[in-house]
Amino acid sequence: NDSVFYFDVAEQEAWGRLPGEMGVFVRSLPFNHFARKNFGFLYAILRGAKFIYDFDDDNYVKKDADGKLLNLIPNEKEVENVRHLNVETFAFNHHSLMGATIETSWA
């Protein structure tokens, strides 16, 4: 399958030995740490990913009344017309798309 990738420790360390900013970035990500997933995000971006879904291990995809899984993004226009991008910090608060009741919520 060319859409699923696994990088063992040796492969991740090899990426960390790359010259320039890529190697610096990978070396800056500690092992056994939440931030390590950023290596996978970067790899997905380099491979042309259009969307990256990041979930905590206690999240789940909701089901409709018939028990079918709901689409993660039911309407692409919601993504195309996002108005909550803060360009100054490169942070995107997705909570308003998920129905957060507090406009400035990050939790």
PDB file of all heavy atoms in Angstrom, residues 41-80:
ATOM      1  N   PHE A  41       3.554  14.414  10.057  1.00  0.00           N
ATOM      2  CA  PHE A  41       2.845  15.492   9.370  1.00  0.00           C
ATOM      3  C   PHE A  41       3.703  16.053   8.239  1.00  0.00           C
ATOM      4  O   PHE A  41       3.222  16.281   7.129  1.00  0.00           O
ATOM      5  CB  PHE A  41       2.490  16.622  10.335  1.00  0.00           C
ATOM      6  CG  PHE A  41       1.529  16.257  11.421  1.00  0.00           C
ATOM      7  CD1 PHE A  41       1.434  17.033  12.551  1.00  0.00           C
ATOM      8  CD2 PHE A  41       0.713  15.141  11.321  1.00  0.00           C
ATOM      9  CE1 PHE A  41       0.537  16.721  13.560  1.00  0.00           C
ATOM     10  CE2 PHE A  41      -0.191  14.819  12.319  1.00  0.00           C
ATOM     11  CZ  PHE A  41      -0.273  15.610  13.434  1.00  0.00           C
ATOM     12  N   LEU A  42       4.979  16.300   8.530  1.00  0.00           N
ATOM     13  CA  LEU A  42       5.876  16.840   7.510  1.00  0.00           C
ATOM     14  C   LEU A  42       6.000  15.872   6.334  1.00  0.00           C
ATOM     15  O   LEU A  42       5.949  16.284   5.172  1.00  0.00           O
ATOM     16  CB  LEU A  42       7.247  17.130   8.110  1.00  0.00           C
ATOM     17  CG  LEU A  42       8.287  17.674   7.143  1.00  0.00           C
ATOM     18  CD1 LEU A  42       7.821  18.984   6.526  1.00  0.00           C
ATOM     19  CD2 LEU A  42       9.617  17.865   7.848  1.00  0.00           C
ATOM     20  N   TYR A  43       6.134  14.588   6.632  1.00  0.00           N
ATOM     21  CA  TYR A  43       6.243  13.603   5.559  1.00  0.00           C
ATOM     22  C   TYR A  43       4.971  13.599   4.703  1.00  0.00           C
ATOM     23  O   TYR A  43       5.043  13.549   3.474  1.00  0.00           O
ATOM     24  CB  TYR A  43       6.504  12.208   6.133  1.00  0.00           C
ATOM     25  CG  TYR A  43       6.786  11.195   5.058  1.00  0.00           C
ATOM     26  CD1 TYR A  43       8.029  11.159   4.441  1.00  0.00           C
ATOM     27  CD2 TYR A  43       5.805  10.304   4.635  1.00  0.00           C
ATOM     28  CE1 TYR A  43       8.288  10.251   3.430  1.00  0.00           C
ATOM     29  CE2 TYR A  43       6.059   9.391   3.627  1.00  0.00           C
ATOM     30  CZ  TYR A  43       7.296   9.369   3.033  1.00  0.00           C
ATOM     31  OH  TYR A  43       7.555   8.472   2.019  1.00  0.00           O
ATOM     32  N   ALA A  44       3.816  13.682   5.337  1.00  0.00           N
ATOM     33  CA  ALA A  44       2.555  13.716   4.592  1.00  0.00           C
ATOM     34  C   ALA A  44       2.486  14.951   3.695  1.00  0.00           C
ATOM     35  O   ALA A  44       2.056  14.868   2.533  1.00  0.00           O
ATOM     36  CB  ALA A  44       1.372  13.696   5.563  1.00  0.00           C
ATOM     37  N   ILE A  45       2.934  16.085   4.197  1.00  0.00           N
ATOM     38  CA  ILE A  45       2.936  17.312   3.403  1.00  0.00           C
ATOM     39  C   ILE A  45       3.877  17.170   2.217  1.00  0.00           C
ATOM     40  O   ILE A  45       3.537  17.528   1.087  1.00  0.00           O
ATOM     41  CB  ILE A  45       3.327  18.524   4.284  1.00  0.00           C
ATOM     42  CG1 ILE A  45       2.220  18.810   5.296  1.00  0.00           C
ATOM     43  CG2 ILE A  45       3.634  19.753   3.437  1.00  0.00           C
ATOM     44  CD1 ILE A  45       2.632  19.744   6.417  1.00  0.00           C
ATOM     45  N   LEU A  46       5.055  16.622   2.453  1.00  0.00           N
ATOM     46  CA  LEU A  46       6.012  16.419   1.364  1.00  0.00           C
ATOM     47  C   LEU A  46       5.462  15.481   0.291  1.00  0.00           C
ATOM     48  O   LEU A  46       5.814  15.598  -0.881  1.00  0.00           O
ATOM     49  CB  LEU A  46       7.330  15.865   1.911  1.00  0.00           C
ATOM     50  CG  LEU A  46       8.141  16.834   2.781  1.00  0.00           C
ATOM     51  CD1 LEU A  46       9.315  16.106   3.416  1.00  0.00           C
ATOM     52  CD2 LEU A  46       8.619  18.026   1.966  1.00  0.00           C
ATOM     53  N   ARG A  47       4.598  14.552   0.682  1.00  0.00           N
ATOM     54  CA  ARG A  47       3.994  13.609  -0.269  1.00  0.00           C
ATOM     55  C   ARG A  47       2.729  14.178  -0.918  1.00  0.00           C
ATOM     56  O   ARG A  47       2.068  13.499  -1.677  1.00  0.00           O
ATOM     57  CB  ARG A  47       3.638  12.296   0.432  1.00  0.00           C
ATOM     58  CG  ARG A  47       4.794  11.569   1.046  1.00  0.00           C
ATOM     59  CD  ARG A  47       5.316  10.448   0.264  1.00  0.00           C
ATOM     60  NE  ARG A  47       4.261   9.614  -0.291  1.00  0.00           N
ATOM     61  CZ  ARG A  47       4.447   8.756  -1.259  1.00  0.00           C
ATOM     62  NH1 ARG A  47       5.632   8.597  -1.757  1.00  0.00           N
ATOM     63  NH2 ARG A  47       3.461   8.033  -1.731  1.00  0.00           N
ATOM     64  N   GLY A  48       2.375  15.437  -0.591  1.00  0.00           N
ATOM     65  CA  GLY A  48       1.255  16.091  -1.250  1.00  0.00           C
ATOM     66  C   GLY A  48      -0.087  15.930  -0.568  1.00  0.00           C
ATOM     67  O   GLY A  48      -1.126  16.103  -1.205  1.00  0.00           O
ATOM     68  N   ALA A  49      -0.090  15.609   0.724  1.00  0.00           N
ATOM     69  CA  ALA A  49      -1.359  15.450   1.440  1.00  0.00           C
ATOM     70  C   ALA A  49      -2.196  16.717   1.341  1.00  0.00           C
ATOM     71  O   ALA A  49      -1.692  17.822   1.511  1.00  0.00           O
ATOM     72  CB  ALA A  49      -1.102  15.124   2.909  1.00  0.00           C
ATOM     73  N   LYS A  50      -3.467  16.538   1.031  1.00  0.00           N
ATOM     74  CA  LYS A  50      -4.384  17.669   0.971  1.00  0.00           C
ATOM     75  C   LYS A  50      -5.009  17.934   2.342  1.00  0.00           C
ATOM     76  O   LYS A  50      -5.362  19.053   2.673  1.00  0.00           O
ATOM     77  CB  LYS A  50      -5.472  17.402  -0.061  1.00  0.00           C
ATOM     78  CG  LYS A  50      -4.950  17.378  -1.484  1.00  0.00           C
ATOM     79  CD  LYS A  50      -6.092  17.217  -2.452  1.00  0.00           C
ATOM     80  CE  LYS A  50      -5.772  17.179  -3.897  1.00  0.00           C
ATOM     81  NZ  LYS A  50      -4.504  17.108  -4.421  1.00  0.00           N
ATOM     82  N   PHE A  51      -5.186  16.898   3.132  1.00  0.00           N
ATOM     83  CA  PHE A  51      -5.737  17.010   4.480  1.00  0.00           C
ATOM     84  C   PHE A  51      -4.915  16.131   5.408  1.00  0.00           C
ATOM     85  O   PHE A  51      -4.467  15.056   5.014  1.00  0.00           O
ATOM     86  CB  PHE A  51      -7.190  16.527   4.544  1.00  0.00           C
ATOM     87  CG  PHE A  51      -8.133  17.341   3.722  1.00  0.00           C
ATOM     88  CD1 PHE A  51      -8.542  16.907   2.484  1.00  0.00           C
ATOM     89  CD2 PHE A  51      -8.615  18.550   4.203  1.00  0.00           C
ATOM     90  CE1 PHE A  51      -9.409  17.653   1.723  1.00  0.00           C
ATOM     91  CE2 PHE A  51      -9.489  19.310   3.442  1.00  0.00           C
ATOM     92  CZ  PHE A  51      -9.889  18.862   2.202  1.00  0.00           C
ATOM     93  N   ILE A  52      -4.760  16.585   6.622  1.00  0.00           N
ATOM     94  CA  ILE A  52      -4.133  15.785   7.678  1.00  0.00           C
ATOM     95  C   ILE A  52      -5.075  15.849   8.872  1.00  0.00           C
ATOM     96  O   ILE A  52      -5.382  16.930   9.371  1.00  0.00           O
ATOM     97  CB  ILE A  52      -2.749  16.320   8.069  1.00  0.00           C
ATOM     98  CG1 ILE A  52      -1.806  16.250   6.860  1.00  0.00           C
ATOM     99  CG2 ILE A  52      -2.192  15.544   9.256  1.00  0.00           C
ATOM    100  CD1 ILE A  52      -0.466  16.898   7.101  1.00  0.00           C
ATOM    101  N   TYR A  53      -5.558  14.711   9.298  1.00  0.00           N
ATOM    102  CA  TYR A  53      -6.456  14.645  10.447  1.00  0.00           C
ATOM    103  C   TYR A  53      -5.650  14.209  11.664  1.00  0.00           C
ATOM    104  O   TYR A  53      -4.980  13.193  11.637  1.00  0.00           O
ATOM    105  CB  TYR A  53      -7.595  13.653  10.192  1.00  0.00           C
ATOM    106  CG  TYR A  53      -8.460  14.048   9.029  1.00  0.00           C
ATOM    107  CD1 TYR A  53      -8.325  13.425   7.800  1.00  0.00           C
ATOM    108  CD2 TYR A  53      -9.395  15.061   9.165  1.00  0.00           C
ATOM    109  CE1 TYR A  53      -9.114  13.799   6.723  1.00  0.00           C
ATOM    110  CE2 TYR A  53     -10.189  15.444   8.098  1.00  0.00           C
ATOM    111  CZ  TYR A  53     -10.043  14.801   6.884  1.00  0.00           C
ATOM    112  OH  TYR A  53     -10.813  15.169   5.825  1.00  0.00           O
ATOM    113  N   ASP A  54      -5.734  14.964  12.704  1.00  0.00           N
ATOM    114  CA  ASP A  54      -5.004  14.681  13.930  1.00  0.00           C
ATOM    115  C   ASP A  54      -6.013  14.541  15.056  1.00  0.00           C
ATOM    116  O   ASP A  54      -6.778  15.463  15.326  1.00  0.00           O
ATOM    117  CB  ASP A  54      -4.029  15.819  14.212  1.00  0.00           C
ATOM    118  CG  ASP A  54      -3.288  15.633  15.510  1.00  0.00           C
ATOM    119  OD1 ASP A  54      -3.067  14.480  15.918  1.00  0.00           O
ATOM    120  OD2 ASP A  54      -2.924  16.647  16.136  1.00  0.00           O
ATOM    121  N   PHE A  55      -6.031  13.388  15.681  1.00  0.00           N
ATOM    122  CA  PHE A  55      -6.971  13.119  16.764  1.00  0.00           C
ATOM    123  C   PHE A  55      -6.221  12.655  17.999  1.00  0.00           C
ATOM    124  O   PHE A  55      -5.228  11.949  17.906  1.00  0.00           O
ATOM    125  CB  PHE A  55      -7.962  12.006  16.368  1.00  0.00           C
ATOM    126  CG  PHE A  55      -8.875  12.387  15.250  1.00  0.00           C
ATOM    127  CD1 PHE A  55      -8.558  12.063  13.949  1.00  0.00           C
ATOM    128  CD2 PHE A  55     -10.045  13.073  15.504  1.00  0.00           C
ATOM    129  CE1 PHE A  55      -9.392  12.416  12.910  1.00  0.00           C
ATOM    130  CE2 PHE A  55     -10.901  13.425  14.470  1.00  0.00           C
ATOM    131  CZ  PHE A  55     -10.573  13.100  13.171  1.00  0.00           C
ATOM    132  N   ASP A  56      -6.734  13.033  19.147  1.00  0.00           N
ATOM    133  CA  ASP A  56      -6.231  12.459  20.392  1.00  0.00           C
ATOM    134  C   ASP A  56      -6.714  11.021  20.476  1.00  0.00           C
ATOM    135  O   ASP A  56      -7.682  10.637  19.825  1.00  0.00           O
ATOM    136  CB  ASP A  56      -6.749  13.252  21.602  1.00  0.00           C
ATOM    137  CG  ASP A  56      -6.138  14.638  21.686  1.00  0.00           C
ATOM    138  OD1 ASP A  56      -5.024  14.821  21.176  1.00  0.00           O
ATOM    139  OD2 ASP A  56      -6.773  15.533  22.265  1.00  0.00           O
ATOM    140  N   ASP A  57      -6.073  10.242  21.300  1.00  0.00           N
ATOM    141  CA  ASP A  57      -6.439   8.828  21.392  1.00  0.00           C
ATOM    142  C   ASP A  57      -7.778   8.593  22.069  1.00  0.00           C
ATOM    143  O   ASP A  57      -8.286   7.483  22.076  1.00  0.00           O
ATOM    144  CB  ASP A  57      -5.346   8.023  22.092  1.00  0.00           C
ATOM    145  CG  ASP A  57      -5.069   8.517  23.499  1.00  0.00           C
ATOM    146  OD1 ASP A  57      -5.738   9.463  23.972  1.00  0.00           O
ATOM    147  OD2 ASP A  57      -4.174   7.951  24.135  1.00  0.00           O
ATOM    148  N   ASP A  58      -8.399   9.640  22.599  1.00  0.00           N
ATOM    149  CA  ASP A  58      -9.708   9.459  23.225  1.00  0.00           C
ATOM    150  C   ASP A  58     -10.843  10.030  22.369  1.00  0.00           C
ATOM    151  O   ASP A  58     -11.965  10.153  22.823  1.00  0.00           O
ATOM    152  CB  ASP A  58      -9.739  10.068  24.625  1.00  0.00           C
ATOM    153  CG  ASP A  58      -9.458  11.565  24.622  1.00  0.00           C
ATOM    154  OD1 ASP A  58      -9.060  12.106  23.575  1.00  0.00           O
ATOM    155  OD2 ASP A  58      -9.625  12.189  25.680  1.00  0.00           O
ATOM    156  N   ASN A  59     -10.550  10.377  21.121  1.00  0.00           N
ATOM    157  CA  ASN A  59     -11.570  10.860  20.199  1.00  0.00           C
ATOM    158  C   ASN A  59     -12.138   9.703  19.394  1.00  0.00           C
ATOM    159  O   ASN A  59     -11.514   8.655  19.258  1.00  0.00           O
ATOM    160  CB  ASN A  59     -11.002  11.897  19.227  1.00  0.00           C
ATOM    161  CG  ASN A  59     -10.571  13.175  19.927  1.00  0.00           C
ATOM    162  OD1 ASN A  59      -9.522  13.695  19.657  1.00  0.00           O
ATOM    163  ND2 ASN A  59     -11.396  13.675  20.834  1.00  0.00           N
ATOM    164  N   TYR A  60     -13.315   9.908  18.842  1.00  0.00           N
ATOM    165  CA  TYR A  60     -13.924   8.896  17.992  1.00  0.00           C
ATOM    166  C   TYR A  60     -14.743   9.587  16.917  1.00  0.00           C
ATOM    167  O   TYR A  60     -15.162  10.730  17.073  1.00  0.00           O
ATOM    168  CB  TYR A  60     -14.795   7.938  18.807  1.00  0.00           C
ATOM    169  CG  TYR A  60     -15.900   8.630  19.564  1.00  0.00           C
ATOM    170  CD1 TYR A  60     -17.171   8.784  19.007  1.00  0.00           C
ATOM    171  CD2 TYR A  60     -15.680   9.161  20.834  1.00  0.00           C
ATOM    172  CE1 TYR A  60     -18.184   9.442  19.694  1.00  0.00           C
ATOM    173  CE2 TYR A  60     -16.690   9.824  21.524  1.00  0.00           C
ATOM    174  CZ  TYR A  60     -17.932   9.948  20.946  1.00  0.00           C
ATOM    175  OH  TYR A  60     -18.927  10.610  21.623  1.00  0.00           O
ATOM    176  N   VAL A  61     -14.953   8.892  15.815  1.00  0.00           N
ATOM    177  CA  VAL A  61     -15.763   9.426  14.731  1.00  0.00           C
ATOM    178  C   VAL A  61     -17.217   9.123  15.046  1.00  0.00           C
ATOM    179  O   VAL A  61     -17.566   7.999  15.408  1.00  0.00           O
ATOM    180  CB  VAL A  61     -15.352   8.796  13.385  1.00  0.00           C
ATOM    181  CG1 VAL A  61     -16.202   9.333  12.257  1.00  0.00           C
ATOM    182  CG2 VAL A  61     -13.873   9.065  13.116  1.00  0.00           C
ATOM    183  N   LYS A  62     -18.072  10.116  14.912  1.00  0.00           N
ATOM    184  CA  LYS A  62     -19.484   9.946  15.242  1.00  0.00           C
ATOM    185  C   LYS A  62     -20.218   9.145  14.165  1.00  0.00           C
ATOM    186  O   LYS A  62     -19.822   9.127  13.012  1.00  0.00           O
ATOM    187  CB  LYS A  62     -20.141  11.311  15.420  1.00  0.00           C
ATOM    188  CG  LYS A  62     -19.590  12.072  16.614  1.00  0.00           C
ATOM    189  CD  LYS A  62     -20.286  13.395  16.775  1.00  0.00           C
ATOM    190  CE  LYS A  62     -19.714  14.143  17.972  1.00  0.00           C
ATOM    191  NZ  LYS A  62     -20.354  15.441  18.145  1.00  0.00           N
ATOM    192  N   LYS A  63     -21.317   8.520  14.578  1.00  0.00           N
ATOM    193  CA  LYS A  63     -22.158   7.742  13.669  1.00  0.00           C
ATOM    194  C   LYS A  63     -23.516   8.409  13.523  1.00  0.00           C
ATOM    195  O   LYS A  63     -23.981   9.094  14.430  1.00  0.00           O
ATOM    196  CB  LYS A  63     -22.330   6.321  14.198  1.00  0.00           C
ATOM    197  CG  LYS A  63     -21.038   5.548  14.283  1.00  0.00           C
ATOM    198  CD  LYS A  63     -21.268   4.152  14.827  1.00  0.00           C
ATOM    199  CE  LYS A  63     -19.955   3.393  14.934  1.00  0.00           C
ATOM    200  NZ  LYS A  63     -20.155   2.042  15.449  1.00  0.00           N
ATOM    201  N   ASP A  64     -24.144   8.201  12.367  1.00  0.00           N
ATOM    202  CA  ASP A  64     -25.488   8.734  12.168  1.00  0.00           C
ATOM    203  C   ASP A  64     -26.519   7.804  12.812  1.00  0.00           C
ATOM    204  O   ASP A  64     -26.164   6.806  13.446  1.00  0.00           O
ATOM    205  CB  ASP A  64     -25.778   8.967  10.684  1.00  0.00           C
ATOM    206  CG  ASP A  64     -25.816   7.678   9.877  1.00  0.00           C
ATOM    207  OD1 ASP A  64     -25.918   6.578  10.458  1.00  0.00           O
ATOM    208  OD2 ASP A  64     -25.764   7.782   8.634  1.00  0.00           O
ATOM    209  N   ALA A  65     -27.809   8.109  12.649  1.00  0.00           N
ATOM    210  CA  ALA A  65     -28.880   7.331  13.277  1.00  0.00           C
ATOM    211  C   ALA A  65     -28.897   5.876  12.812  1.00  0.00           C
ATOM    212  O   ALA A  65     -29.359   4.994  13.533  1.00  0.00           O
ATOM    213  CB  ALA A  65     -30.238   7.985  12.992  1.00  0.00           C
ATOM    214  N   ASP A  66     -28.364   5.611  11.608  1.00  0.00           N
ATOM    215  CA  ASP A  66     -28.313   4.240  11.082  1.00  0.00           C
ATOM    216  C   ASP A  66     -27.044   3.507  11.462  1.00  0.00           C
ATOM    217  O   ASP A  66     -26.825   2.376  11.041  1.00  0.00           O
ATOM    218  CB  ASP A  66     -28.448   4.259   9.553  1.00  0.00           C
ATOM    219  CG  ASP A  66     -29.797   4.798   9.114  1.00  0.00           C
ATOM    220  OD1 ASP A  66     -30.798   4.524   9.801  1.00  0.00           O
ATOM    221  OD2 ASP A  66     -29.825   5.504   8.076  1.00  0.00           O
ATOM    222  N   GLY A  67     -26.169   4.157  12.214  1.00  0.00           N
ATOM    223  CA  GLY A  67     -24.931   3.521  12.633  1.00  0.00           C
ATOM    224  C   GLY A  67     -23.791   3.655  11.643  1.00  0.00           C
ATOM    225  O   GLY A  67     -22.724   3.088  11.831  1.00  0.00           O
ATOM    226  N   LYS A  68     -23.992   4.433  10.572  1.00  0.00           N
ATOM    227  CA  LYS A  68     -22.936   4.645   9.588  1.00  0.00           C
ATOM    228  C   LYS A  68     -22.019   5.767  10.071  1.00  0.00           C
ATOM    229  O   LYS A  68     -22.478   6.753  10.660  1.00  0.00           O
ATOM    230  CB  LYS A  68     -23.526   5.020   8.226  1.00  0.00           C
ATOM    231  CG  LYS A  68     -24.345   3.914   7.609  1.00  0.00           C
ATOM    232  CD  LYS A  68     -24.909   4.379   6.274  1.00  0.00           C
ATOM    233  CE  LYS A  68     -25.821   3.296   5.701  1.00  0.00           C
ATOM    234  NZ  LYS A  68     -26.496   3.778   4.476  1.00  0.00           N
ATOM    235  N   LEU A  69     -20.727   5.618   9.800  1.00  0.00           N
ATOM    236  CA  LEU A  69     -19.783   6.653  10.195  1.00  0.00           C
ATOM    237  C   LEU A  69     -20.053   7.934   9.419  1.00  0.00           C
ATOM    238  O   LEU A  69     -20.270   7.907   8.207  1.00  0.00           O
ATOM    239  CB  LEU A  69     -18.347   6.193   9.938  1.00  0.00           C
ATOM    240  CG  LEU A  69     -17.862   5.000  10.760  1.00  0.00           C
ATOM    241  CD1 LEU A  69     -16.440   4.643  10.368  1.00  0.00           C
ATOM    242  CD2 LEU A  69     -17.944   5.292  12.251  1.00  0.00           C
ATOM    243  N   LEU A  70     -20.036   9.053  10.128  1.00  0.00           N
ATOM    244  CA  LEU A  70     -20.211  10.348   9.480  1.00  0.00           C
ATOM    245  C   LEU A  70     -18.909  10.744   8.795  1.00  0.00           C
ATOM    246  O   LEU A  70     -17.821  10.372   9.237  1.00  0.00           O
ATOM    247  CB  LEU A  70     -20.588  11.413  10.511  1.00  0.00           C
ATOM    248  CG  LEU A  70     -21.924  11.221  11.224  1.00  0.00           C
ATOM    249  CD1 LEU A  70     -22.074  12.271  12.322  1.00  0.00           C
ATOM    250  CD2 LEU A  70     -23.072  11.327  10.234  1.00  0.00           C
ATOM    251  N   ASN A  71     -19.006  11.522   7.713  1.00  0.00           N
ATOM    252  CA  ASN A  71     -17.813  12.044   7.070  1.00  0.00           C
ATOM    253  C   ASN A  71     -17.091  12.964   8.046  1.00  0.00           C
ATOM    254  O   ASN A  71     -17.720  13.717   8.790  1.00  0.00           O
ATOM    255  CB  ASN A  71     -18.177  12.847   5.817  1.00  0.00           C
ATOM    256  CG  ASN A  71     -18.706  11.970   4.713  1.00  0.00           C
ATOM    257  OD1 ASN A  71     -18.319  10.807   4.605  1.00  0.00           O
ATOM    258  ND2 ASN A  71     -19.581  12.503   3.900  1.00  0.00           N
ATOM    259  N   LEU A  72     -15.766  12.925   8.030  1.00  0.00           N
ATOM    260  CA  LEU A  72     -15.018  13.801   8.920  1.00  0.00           C
ATOM    261  C   LEU A  72     -15.266  15.261   8.577  1.00  0.00           C
ATOM    262  O   LEU A  72     -15.388  16.103   9.451  1.00  0.00           O
ATOM    263  CB  LEU A  72     -13.526  13.487   8.836  1.00  0.00           C
ATOM    264  CG  LEU A  72     -13.137  12.127   9.400  1.00  0.00           C
ATOM    265  CD1 LEU A  72     -11.663  11.861   9.152  1.00  0.00           C
ATOM    266  CD2 LEU A  72     -13.448  12.038  10.875  1.00  0.00           C
ATOM    267  N   ILE A  73     -15.323  15.575   7.300  1.00  0.00           N
ATOM    268  CA  ILE A  73     -15.660  16.921   6.854  1.00  0.00           C
ATOM    269  C   ILE A  73     -16.814  16.760   5.883  1.00  0.00           C
ATOM    270  O   ILE A  73     -16.622  16.406   4.729  1.00  0.00           O
ATOM    271  CB  ILE A  73     -14.468  17.616   6.183  1.00  0.00           C
ATOM    272  CG1 ILE A  73     -13.316  17.732   7.175  1.00  0.00           C
ATOM    273  CG2 ILE A  73     -14.880  18.999   5.667  1.00  0.00           C
ATOM    274  CD1 ILE A  73     -12.071  18.357   6.608  1.00  0.00           C
ATOM    275  N   PRO A  74     -18.044  16.967   6.347  1.00  0.00           N
ATOM    276  CA  PRO A  74     -19.204  16.689   5.522  1.00  0.00           C
ATOM    277  C   PRO A  74     -19.361  17.602   4.320  1.00  0.00           C
ATOM    278  O   PRO A  74     -20.041  17.271   3.382  1.00  0.00           O
ATOM    279  CB  PRO A  74     -20.379  16.856   6.489  1.00  0.00           C
ATOM    280  CG  PRO A  74     -19.857  17.705   7.584  1.00  0.00           C
ATOM    281  CD  PRO A  74     -18.379  17.426   7.677  1.00  0.00           C
ATOM    282  N   ASN A  75     -18.744  18.771   4.350  1.00  0.00           N
ATOM    283  CA  ASN A  75     -18.906  19.718   3.260  1.00  0.00           C
ATOM    284  C   ASN A  75     -17.567  20.402   3.025  1.00  0.00           C
ATOM    285  O   ASN A  75     -17.098  21.160   3.859  1.00  0.00           O
ATOM    286  CB  ASN A  75     -19.976  20.755   3.638  1.00  0.00           C
ATOM    287  CG  ASN A  75     -20.183  21.797   2.562  1.00  0.00           C
ATOM    288  OD1 ASN A  75     -19.405  21.878   1.616  1.00  0.00           O
ATOM    289  ND2 ASN A  75     -21.213  22.587   2.712  1.00  0.00           N
ATOM    290  N   GLU A  76     -16.930  20.135   1.873  1.00  0.00           N
ATOM    291  CA  GLU A  76     -15.608  20.695   1.631  1.00  0.00           C
ATOM    292  C   GLU A  76     -15.593  22.216   1.667  1.00  0.00           C
ATOM    293  O   GLU A  76     -14.581  22.815   1.944  1.00  0.00           O
ATOM    294  CB  GLU A  76     -15.060  20.185   0.303  1.00  0.00           C
ATOM    295  CG  GLU A  76     -14.635  18.741   0.377  1.00  0.00           C
ATOM    296  CD  GLU A  76     -13.878  18.304  -0.858  1.00  0.00           C
ATOM    297  OE1 GLU A  76     -13.356  19.156  -1.588  1.00  0.00           O
ATOM    298  OE2 GLU A  76     -13.812  17.091  -1.075  1.00  0.00           O
ATOM    299  N   LYS A  77     -16.743  22.850   1.406  1.00  0.00           N
ATOM    300  CA  LYS A  77     -16.782  24.312   1.462  1.00  0.00           C
ATOM    301  C   LYS A  77     -16.440  24.812   2.865  1.00  0.00           C
ATOM    302  O   LYS A  77     -15.898  25.882   3.017  1.00  0.00           O
ATOM    303  CB  LYS A  77     -18.142  24.835   1.020  1.00  0.00           C
ATOM    304  CG  LYS A  77     -18.379  24.705  -0.457  1.00  0.00           C
ATOM    305  CD  LYS A  77     -19.569  25.561  -0.859  1.00  0.00           C
ATOM    306  CE  LYS A  77     -19.736  25.557  -2.352  1.00  0.00           C
ATOM    307  NZ  LYS A  77     -18.849  26.493  -3.015  1.00  0.00           N
ATOM    308  N   GLU A  78     -16.738  24.010   3.864  1.00  0.00           N
ATOM    309  CA  GLU A  78     -16.379  24.409   5.222  1.00  0.00           C
ATOM    310  C   GLU A  78     -14.872  24.558   5.347  1.00  0.00           C
ATOM    311  O   GLU A  78     -14.387  25.361   6.107  1.00  0.00           O
ATOM    312  CB  GLU A  78     -16.889  23.387   6.237  1.00  0.00           C
ATOM    313  CG  GLU A  78     -18.385  23.394   6.398  1.00  0.00           C
ATOM    314  CD  GLU A  78     -18.832  22.393   7.444  1.00  0.00           C
ATOM    315  OE1 GLU A  78     -18.079  22.149   8.403  1.00  0.00           O
ATOM    316  OE2 GLU A  78     -19.931  21.859   7.296  1.00  0.00           O
ATOM    317  N   VAL A  79     -14.124  23.737   4.616  1.00  0.00           N
ATOM    318  CA  VAL A  79     -12.666  23.818   4.659  1.00  0.00           C
ATOM    319  C   VAL A  79     -12.171  24.907   3.710  1.00  0.00           C
ATOM    320  O   VAL A  79     -11.317  25.702   4.051  1.00  0.00           O
ATOM    321  CB  VAL A  79     -12.043  22.457   4.288  1.00  0.00           C
ATOM    322  CG1 VAL A  79     -10.530  22.576   4.202  1.00  0.00           C
ATOM    323  CG2 VAL A  79     -12.425  21.418   5.317  1.00  0.00           C
ATOM    324  N   GLU A  80     -12.748  24.965   2.509  1.00  0.00           N
ATOM    325  CA  GLU A  80     -12.303  25.942   1.520  1.00  0.00           C
ATOM    326  C   GLU A  80     -12.510  27.366   1.990  1.00  0.00           C
ATOM    327  O   GLU A  80     -11.750  28.254   1.662  1.00  0.00           O
ATOM    328  CB  GLU A  80     -13.060  25.737   0.205  1.00  0.00           C
ATOM    329  CG  GLU A  80     -12.686  24.457  -0.508  1.00  0.00           C
ATOM    330  CD  GLU A  80     -13.587  24.203  -1.707  1.00  0.00           C
ATOM    331  OE1 GLU A  80     -14.400  25.080  -2.048  1.00  0.00           O
ATOM    332  OE2 GLU A  80     -13.480  23.117  -2.285  1.00  0.00           O
TER     333      GLU A  80
END
